[in-house]
């Protein structure tokens, strides 16, 4: 462990850090890592509140080592977040740039999802300020990184909720449609489905026969069960858990069918070990990347190693779920 | 601790036990206590599956000491539960009685809520079989007992969920309407509201001005807050969390308002210490009461002492929330 | 809910609040309630850090409504605590009094256990400053109140740990001695023992035959089990879990015996619903009591109602465990 | 998802499955996956109880699909485990082989750690029965796989315990030495140390200066803190947490130093999402490997892909911790 400031060369002196888009557990761990790694290298850090909104409003606060004490284990983000319409306009971005310059901020770490990186990439192109992104979203749907901050915690929150619902489903012989987050990606639904022994899993990545619930549940070698859990990703093209339940109720009027939409509780909570450790690694790596004169890149984890991925790739390419796991889910719920 | 069978006099020899109505965490602890207390007193125990339905279908299984090993800490009910229409008819009850007689069951423990006790009371009047009830419902709304099985666990499940939602509400400056269970009683809403520092609490017991959210949130000495949590009991006469959110959105279009309906996850989960201990006490006391020739009564806890309450009272009288706590909630969220 | 400051008569204008002795989950909820109730009544509040030490060192900080935002759900105490030797001397107390006077503090709320109340009582006698106590200790061993802050959380922490240990005990057919807190009182041991189905419970309140483990575990109608959990209160006169294990190992060399001392993790963690609600009620009641010119009393809960108990009683009298529960524990683990 | 039995060619018809060595959360998920994948491929499965002991005692029970219902989320192992001396002798292994043959078992899945694989390898060499291993140990110290069953759950159990201890440490300005499992490997200590913001981490892999606690805690740019958490792996050559605390107490008599040994609660509990999903994948892959005529190999996960690793490698080679993370831990706790 280091015992002294290790001054690293590089032109960046004052680093701004912000969180943008939906909040995710582990964002605070990433903020803490950004702050302390920057201080370790002799740099100053400025917290920017409420994401890009704070750049436009000059909502800046200097962060020192104690500013980030005791936040590692907390959900949410101490810097707050937002979705900022004004930053989508050239005028908004110009204002943001002027404010950063006035404050002496010459490098940025943006913790957020691909919407946030789209804005960051544009900003990097228009103005002379390097930005490094840190992937923070519970959906795990960012190309170029195996891991995104908050996903592991969200997954565990979901399985604990579904375990509870399973108690009731079993006790009362009910069928439950449980809707989980993942507007455009089925990671949470697929993995939580396997982890809770769901009898069926509906995700946006699967079309056609894979959405034939009747077949998935009742045909072939499927054991006739008195209770069933079906996990539905909220991005489901058929309309989500309520729509599925209604349709099913019509076809099987004897089933006792219920719906639970887990909703926003999936975003919060104290981060898991994985989210704390990986968010710390990524936050620290983002500062190292800035000091290495990187820009317009996201830091990610591939095969447990830190990698740099250009924003252009992270934004445009699509990350697919592991389709073998769908097959596994089917085998294991017989 | 006992080292020998302690044979207690009394005419009951074979006790049937069932769970009825909505499931609640701690019901298994109560079943275990019924079984082992009966065995301790030299009696036999028969588990009746799926509540009153199992009496009508002779769905009986003998229970021995090991039948209830390792269930103390589990949510749901190993005997399953149901709501049984047929038991509401004289024919259904006659059939149930005949089945009990055939099986030699001469006393019953019914674990459930006031709907279940209404059936039990009628059955006791019509047929010569003593029944003792154990209050099991997460709603805590049974007259004559301070405590009902499952309430403490449900309350803790709710506050853990709301703590998570608070992370997001604070990070994104949002207002959340969170709907909790309690169709006719505001216990869960009121206590979870205080326990999570909710800015307002809407319960069925409060009418008029106490439902004026605008006043509760924004007037007088209320601190202007950027995020707010409002807990709404599902039994709310104004239509629940979605209706409240919609109404509020119209009046305050600038607020970023979200809704989460916690739903059935409130019923499940491993019971808390209080639910395990009290369910054990009540289950044991129900057997003692049967052996003491009691019938048509519920065992309850008043001031931490076991009491017997006639079904007639437990069903008809209303248990009110502690209204001073509403005032306290207002003071503490300033 | 209140919409305006409700000015209450009374001579106290500036209330000091401190936490003393061992920390307990829910202390922060009590602090929050003290602060906001005082503000609601138009009073000022001063936080005193590190218990009586802070009075001697003038470690004071003014608290406003936002000072206690977002602490309701946190373990520990934001005011810190300590055990203070100097306060046991007349000189120390004189210094403390002078500091309070200089700061204009004319009433005190002390959150702590009976050691803390002993000091408070002496201070009240020597100096003209009213003190109201709030019972805060995980041990639940204060006379005059059914409830102490932190006990419910500690109990739930213990049962979650023992549930985990049970997994291993069952899988490997082991006997575990688990030592829990409760240096002079067996509340945690007794209730957690029942809640986890412990095969035996050793508490300081029970002497003689009730400590004959061999009899408790293996004689009479005890089922021969391959795994066993024995809960031992740390105050055990026979030397605690390690001593018991050693003695037992000698007598039964074939048993695979292990020991776990749960230790300080029992003191921390986010408080349960009961601890949050009751700590809030007690904190608020303490301020009301001060404004009603009470002094040298503890606020407590008896049968779920707020009561005032003179320090003299709370300190001297002994609160016993419910011995019927010991018998119940024996019956339920057959 | 599959709708029919998919009969796979191969000479194995009846698969035995056992768990061996220390239990780990997720072992039940692996057993479930073994059973259902085998059934899916038209094979029979026999559960062998208590590890190798059960092979020697013919403690066999046939497993069908419902035998493994509702075990996915449970800690421990339904098949029980043991450490078996007799299996280390040629006579013991001969007896085991004869018993397997008598029962018609012609392939084995062994879920355990490297001790278990050492036995399995020998058995494969001596007798004509193919064995596939599944890495199950909370220590994560098996070469050839990034992941072992139970590690993720143990890590999360540890951080939740340390978070609680941090509450007390902060409230009372104490230094805590917390001993965690990992007799020969520092994975749990290192990752939990980062995840809890430990001020120092002592693991067996680090010698010399990296064990100089005084330097790690107080020199260079280390911020003087009033409370400190030091995580010590139980395998520590200096004698564990108690020895460290004693030594430190001598040098710094003014520090308020405490010790907590987390112990066996680290082995239990409901598995995390990662442990449930990965244990399911590995259990299923083990059956596929047997049907593909593999033997004397372990299935593992490398870069999130299933791999086969010869027992010879898995046993002999050493898996190192990521030493960059030690450096990171130092930077982040300044």
């Amino acid at each position: 462990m280091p015992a002294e400031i290790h001054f690293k060369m590089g032109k960046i002196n004052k680093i701004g850090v912000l969180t943008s888009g939906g909040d995710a557990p582990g964002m605070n761990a990433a903020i803490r890592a950004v702050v302390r790694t920057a201080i370790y290298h002799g740099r100053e850090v400025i917290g920017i509140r409420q994401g890009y909104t704070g750049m436009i409003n000059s909502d800046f606060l200097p962060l020192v080592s104690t500013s980030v004490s005791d936040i590692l284990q907390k959900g949410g983000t101490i810097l707050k977040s937002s979705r900022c319409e004004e930053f989508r306009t050239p005028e908004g971005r110009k204002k943001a740039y002027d404010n950063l310059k006035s404050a002496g901020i010459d490098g940025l770490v943006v913790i957020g999802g691909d919407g946030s990186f789209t804005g960051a990439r544009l900003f990097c192109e228009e103005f002379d300020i390097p930005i490094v992104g840190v992937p923070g979203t519970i959906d795990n749907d960012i190309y170029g990184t195996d891991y995104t901050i908050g996903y592991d915690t969200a997954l565990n929150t979901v399985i604990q909720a579904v375990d509870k619902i399973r108690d009731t489903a079993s006790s009362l012989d009910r069928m439950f449609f449980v809707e989980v987050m993942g507007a455009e990606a089925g990671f949470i639904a697929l993995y939580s489905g396997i982890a809770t022994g769901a009898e069926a899993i509906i995700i946006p990545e699967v079309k056609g026969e894979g959405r034939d619930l009747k077949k998935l549940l009742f045909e072939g070698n499927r054991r006739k069960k008195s209770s069933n859990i079906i996990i539905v990703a909220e991005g489901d093209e058929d309309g989500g858990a309520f729509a599925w339940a209604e349709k099913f109720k019509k076809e099987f009027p004897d089933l006792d069918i219920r719906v639970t939409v887990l909703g926003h509780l999936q975003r919060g909570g104290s981060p898991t070990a994985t989210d704390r450790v990986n968010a710390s690694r990524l936050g620290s790596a983002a500062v190292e990347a800035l000091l290495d004169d990187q820009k317009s890149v996201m830091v990610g984890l591939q095969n447990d190693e830190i990698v740099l991925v250009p924003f252009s790739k992270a934004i445009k390419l699509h990350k697919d779920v592991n389709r073998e796991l769908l097959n596994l889910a089917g085998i294991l719920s017989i």
Side-chain angles (χ1 to χ4, degrees), chain A residues 308-325:
Chain A
L308 296 178
V309 184
F311 280 151
S312 52
K313 275 196 179 175
I315 295 163
K316 289 205 184 139
L317 297 177
H318 182 69
K319 179 175 167 187
D320 203 7
V321 296
N322 182 342
R323 279 152 196 276
E324 282 176 31
L325 290 184

Side-chain angles (χ1 to χ4, degrees), chain A residues 58-79:
Chain A
S58 282
D59 194 352
F60 301 151
L61 74 165
L63 297 174
V64 295
S65 196
T66 52
S67 312
V68 293
S69 291
D70 203 32
I71 68 167
L72 176 60
Q73 80 284 11
K74 281 184 197 152
T77 157
I78 59 162
L79 292 178

Side-chain angles (χ1 to χ4, degrees), chain A residues 80-96:
Chain A
K80 301 204 170 199
S81 183
S82 72
R83 292 191 162 84
C84 178
E85 285 308 310
E86 199 175 347
F87 195 71
R88 292 171 189 246
T89 67
E91 297 74 28
R93 291 193 295 273
K94 178 67 172 64
K95 205 163 151 192

Side-chain angles (χ1 to χ4, degrees), chain A residues 93-262:
Chain A
R93 291 193 295 273
K94 178 67 172 64
K95 205 163 151 192
Y97 177 73
D98 291 344
N99 288 336
L100 294 178
K101 281 289 116 177
S102 299
I105 296 168
D106 50 9
L108 272 183
V109 174
V110 169
I111 305 167
D114 55 8
S116 308
F117 295 163
T118 304
R121 184 192 176 199
L122 208 56
F123 197 66
C124 268
E125 281 172 6
E126 293 172 346
F127 301 101
D128 177 33
I129 187 157
I131 306 185
V132 175
V134 175
T137 163
I138 63 166
D139 293 339
N140 198 28
D141 61 347
I142 299 182
Y143 181 85
T145 183
D146 302 334
Y147 164 85
T148 65
I149 294 173
Y151 169 64
D152 189 61
T153 304
L155 203 52
N156 280 290
T157 298
V158 168
I159 71 168
Q160 286 161 18
V162 176
D163 282 355
K164 291 188 171 84
I165 291 171
R166 176 75 76 181
D167 285 341
T168 286
S170 300
S171 297
L172 292 168
D173 290 341
R174 282 177 176 165
M175 169 176 280
F176 268 92
F177 287 84
V178 180
E179 185 172 308
V180 302
M181 285 192 166
E184 282 154 53
F187 290 94
I188 292 179
L190 176 55
Y191 283 78
S192 68
I194 293 174
T196 58
E199 276 72 21
I201 302 168
I202 304 289
I203 57 174
E205 287 87 346
V206 173
K207 315 288 181 191
E209 230 182 60
R211 302 177 81 78
D212 184 349
L213 251 195
K214 203 165 32 165
K215 198 171 163 190
L216 292 175
L217 289 173
F218 305 132
E219 294 180 11
N221 66 337
R222 308 303 300 178
R223 185 155 47 91
K224 202 178 166 331
K225 297 184 181 183
S226 55
S227 71
N228 286 281
I229 301 273
I230 296 105
I231 305 284
V232 184
E234 63 173 337
D236 172 60
E237 67 193 40
D238 288 319
F242 277 107
W244 275 101
E246 217 166 306
K247 204 165 53 181
F248 226 65
K249 186 78 196 160
K250 274 183 202 148
E251 236 176 314
F252 301 94
D254 288 347
L255 291 175
D256 186 358
I257 297 177
R258 304 293 163 111
V259 175
T260 295
V261 177
L262 291 184

Side-chain angles (χ1 to χ4, degrees), chain A residues 19 23-33 71-77 111 134-136 138 147-151 153 267-272 274-280 282-283:
Chain A
T19 48
D23 61 318
M27 282 185 162
N28 283 328
I31 294 168
R32 171 176 175 270
I71 68 167
L72 176 60
Q73 80 284 11
K74 281 184 197 152
T77 157
I111 305 167
V134 175
I138 63 166
Y147 164 85
T148 65
I149 294 173
Y151 169 64
T153 304
R267 292 206 171 282
S270 181
T272 58
T274 290
D275 273 327
R276 295 185 195 188
V277 172
N278 284 349
S280 297
L282 290 173

